[in-house]
Amino acid sequence: FTVYPNPTNSSGNIFIDISGYNSTGKNELKIYDSMGKMVKSLVLNQSQLNLNVNFASGIYFINYLNNGLKIATQRLIIN
């Protein structure tokens, strides 16, 4: 899946696109900080999402899950 812009600003928006994956069933995004703490969890109803990332500066990991199974992970850098 794609996440952009990356890096981004702490008060900006990111665009997430999972359209390259089989998105049938329950699709979720879970965002973790560099210490492994989950900072956001979302259930996706569509294959594209515009998300406000009002997080502190740092490195975050976005996990894409389909029916509870982790499919892919992207790193997100927030300046």
Side-chain angles (χ1 to χ4, degrees), residues 9-22:
N9 296 323
S10 62
S11 61
N13 287 332
I14 58 170
F15 182 77
I16 299 171
D17 184 359
I18 62 163
S19 61
Y21 290 92
N22 177 7

Side-chain angles (χ1 to χ4, degrees), residues 26-74:
K26 183 179 179 183
N27 293 292
E28 300 173 87
L29 290 178
K30 296 190 179 203
I31 304 175
Y32 297 87
D33 66 14
S34 60
M35 302 300 282
K37 178 183 173 190
M38 186 175 11
V39 295
K40 191 153 190 88
S41 178
L42 304 159
V43 174
L44 301 176
N45 297 319
Q46 55 198 30
S47 62
Q48 298 176 337
L49 173 70
N50 193 10
L51 178 66
N52 183 289
V53 287
N54 194 10
F55 305 143
S57 297
I59 297 173
Y60 294 83
F61 297 93
I62 304 172
N63 290 341
Y64 164 55
L65 295 90
N66 179 260
N67 293 321
L69 299 173
K70 184 166 68 168
I71 304 298
T73 301
Q74 286 282 348

